[in-house]
Structure formats: C-alpha cells, structure tokens
Amino acid sequence: MTKTKTNKKMWLLEHLRDFWQEARENKIKAFVYISLRILVVIVLIAEIFNRNYNNVFLCVLTLILFMIPNFLNKRMNIVLPGTLEIIVLLFIFGAEILGEINEYYLIFDRWDDMLHTINGFLCAAIGFSMIDILNRNEKVTFSLSPIFVALVAFCFSMTVGVVWEFFEFGMDMFFQTDMQKDSIQTVISSVLFNPEGKNVAVVMPIDSMVVNGVAWNYGGYIDIGLYDTMNDLFVNFIGAVTFSILGYFYIKNRSKGKFAKRFMPRRKTEAEILEEREEYKNKHHHDF
C-alpha cells in the first residue's frame, strides 16, 4: 500500500473516529446528521434515474452545504451549538430538497415565509455572536452596550436578507427563473390612472384582461415579484427582531441567558485550540 493511500485511510479513520465520539456526546445531532444525508442520497439516486440533472446538482449542493458546520469547526475554530447546527441542517434540507425539488414552495403557501423567518432569526444570532466575541476579546479596546450589539445584529440580519433578494432578482432578470414568486392582484392603485395628471392614486379593480389578444382568466394581473420580496423582508424582520430582543437580555443577564446561547456560535478558546493540536500530534506521532 502506497504512502498516499495510507494517509487517505488514516484521514478517513480519524474523521470516523471523531464523528462517532461526537455522536456519543450528542445523539440527537448525530441522528439528524445521518438521516438527512441518507435522504439526500436517496433523492440524488432517484433524480439520476429520472435524468433530472438540475435536481442532481441541488442534491450535490445540499451535501456540500451540510459540510459547513464541520468546516467552521476544523478550519476556522468556530463552534456551533448543537441546537444551531441541527436547525442549520434542517434549514438547508427544507430549502433545497423539500422546497425546490419536492416543490413545497408551491404546495404550502407559508413554506417560504417560515424559511425566511428562520433565516432572519439565525442571521441575527450569527451577527450577534460576531459582535459579542469582539466585545469580550481582551485585545479589542472598545466595549459596546447591549442595545447597540442588538441593533448591529438586527442590521446584519436585514442586510443578509436584502442581499438575498438582490440575488433572487438577478436570477430572474438574467436567467429567467421565478425565484421572486409572482402573485395575482385583483386591484391596482396608481397615479397613472388619474385623469387630471395629479399625484393622487386612483384605485381600479381588475375585472377582466386581454393579453396579446387572448382573454386573461387568472382573476387579475400578475405582480412581478414585488409582493413576494416585501413579504420575505417582513418575515426576515420578524425573525431578526425576535433574536435581537433575546440577545439583548442575554447580554444584560449573561449568567442567566441559556436559551439565546443555543443559537450563538463561539470561537474556540486558545486552550481548546492547543488541546486539539496536542491530540492531533499524539495521534500522528508515528508519521514523523
């Protein structure tokens, strides 16, 4: 057996050993971890047989996204609490596999709203964590008040939501997708209908329409994604506000704050990093 194959085998055994050790410590997370990956692989195989390669790509993307928590842990020394990691995995599965491939976005009216609310909540938690880590770092010379940290976390979450809507708009504009889902409107309000040309909106009900000489039987006109975008931002706002309030009280009563802590990533301490390095050296001392 060549040295390269030996190293690959050692790498695989090391990761399996680490996984089973973590699985014994957190059985619920391990169950979610394994179950979701099995489900994605089953869907992947089915989509290959159906020759739906767009969905195959989504399955592969989902499996890659599932690796984010481990990447953050191993490469960036960032620890995700078990509760947060489970929600992140379920969020990815719900968005890509259930939402896109199984068309839950069309089957359930509030599926997209639920995901955007969760996204706002989680992004606020991440933004809150980044500021809180700096706030507690001895090398950083400033200290922010709880209300300011909560405000920054809220703004971070809303910024992420806006950037995502920019992405959806770009996909619809340049690739003719329908990420910003259209809706039927039965009433239109516009100053363009004002016969006197004044800046006063005139409300006009839509009883019937003809498009390209063909009668339009959808009960109104199509709104091209505006209502969907504003609704997404609103539910993102709800999620961001919810965690910002929780985060505020977490800082105010740090010794008592347990619920908010479940959703806040943290950076490993120097002692934890050194301990992991020592463990790695002890496992691989025979290679040197």
Side-chain angles (χ1 to χ4, degrees):
M1 183 179 293
T2 64
K3 186 175 181 180
T4 302
K5 291 182 178 179
T6 302
N7 290 337
K8 289 182 177 179
K9 184 178 180 180
M10 291 297 297
W11 179 86
L12 179 60
L13 290 174
E14 177 188 346
H15 279 70
L16 287 175
R17 183 168 56 247
D18 292 342
F19 170 76
W20 287 117
Q21 180 179 351
E22 186 176 356
R24 287 195 296 269
E25 297 174 357
N26 194 328
K27 295 181 180 180
I28 297 178
K29 187 172 74 171
F31 173 77
V32 173
Y33 184 100
I34 296 172
S35 300
L36 292 183
R37 280 163 175 76
I38 291 175
L39 290 174
V40 173
V41 171
I42 292 174
V43 175
L44 173 63
I45 295 173
E47 296 302 327
I48 291 175
F49 278 108
N50 293 332
R51 297 184 179 181
N52 194 333
Y53 298 112
N54 182 57
N55 287 347
V56 170
F57 168 77
L58 289 177
C59 290
V60 174
L61 176 62
T62 301
L63 292 174
I64 294 174
L65 292 175
F66 279 170
M67 298 169 63
I68 290 178
N70 186 63
F71 173 81
L72 293 175
N73 191 342
K74 300 296 184 182
R75 300 297 181 181
M76 301 184 67
N77 294 321
I78 295 176
V79 179
L80 299 185
T83 301
L84 175 62
E85 187 170 344
I86 290 173
I87 293 177
V88 168
L89 294 176
L90 291 174
F91 178 86
I92 295 171
F93 185 81
E96 299 297 333
I97 304 302
L98 298 180
E100 294 291 345
I101 296 179
N102 289 343
E103 299 183 343
Y104 275 30
Y105 289 124
L106 300 178
I107 297 174
F108 301 103
D109 291 337
R110 297 302 176 184
W111 189 259
D112 190 45
D113 293 346
M114 178 191 69
L115 293 179
H116 276 281
T117 305
I118 295 174
N119 177 73
F121 186 91
L122 295 182
C123 285
I126 294 171
F128 202 100
S129 300
M130 292 190 298
I131 302 300
D132 191 46
I133 288 172
L134 291 175
N135 221 21
R136 299 169 63 184
N137 193 330
E138 296 178 355
K139 297 179 182 179
V140 179
T141 57
F142 64 86
S143 180
L144 303 178
S145 66
I147 188 65
F148 191 82
V149 176
L151 179 61
V152 172
F154 168 77
C155 292
F156 175 80
S157 177
M158 291 305 300
T159 300
V160 172
V162 170
V163 171
W164 176 255
E165 294 303 321
F166 285 166
F167 170 74
E168 288 189 348
F169 175 76
M171 292 295 292
D172 291 349
M173 283 290 293
F174 298 109
F175 298 100
Q176 286 73 54
T177 60
D178 189 22
M179 295 189 70
Q180 294 178 302
K181 294 295 186 287
D182 305 327
S183 59
I184 301 296
Q185 303 299 319
T186 58
V187 175
I188 187 170
S189 175
S190 175
V191 297
L192 295 177
F193 299 146
N194 193 306
E196 300 177 1
K198 295 182 178 181
N199 190 29
V200 179
V202 174
V203 179
M204 182 177 296
I206 307 298
D207 297 322
S208 62
M209 290 183 64
V210 175
V211 179
N212 295 330
V214 179
W216 187 271
N217 297 317
Y218 290 97
Y221 81 100
I222 286 186
D223 156 66
I224 310 297
L226 175 61
Y227 282 79
D228 177 74
T229 297
M230 298 309 298
N231 185 74
D232 290 347
L233 292 177
F234 178 71
V235 294
N236 191 104
F237 169 85
I238 293 175
V241 167
T242 301
F243 190 86
S244 295
I245 294 174
L246 292 173
Y248 169 80
F249 287 106
Y250 167 75
I251 289 186
K252 290 284 289 184
N253 307 286
R254 192 177 295 277
S255 61
K256 301 178 182 179
K258 296 182 179 180
F259 180 77
K261 195 174 181 179
R262 297 178 181 178
F263 304 93
M264 296 176 59
R266 67 173 181 86
R267 184 172 176 79
K268 294 179 182 176
T269 63
E270 293 295 331
E272 288 175 322
I273 295 174
L274 291 175
E275 183 180 353
E276 288 185 355
R277 289 177 180 173
E278 287 298 322
E279 289 180 358
Y280 182 84
K281 288 181 181 179
N282 292 335
K283 290 178 182 178
H284 299 275
H285 69 276
H286 57 274
D287 294 332
F288 298 97

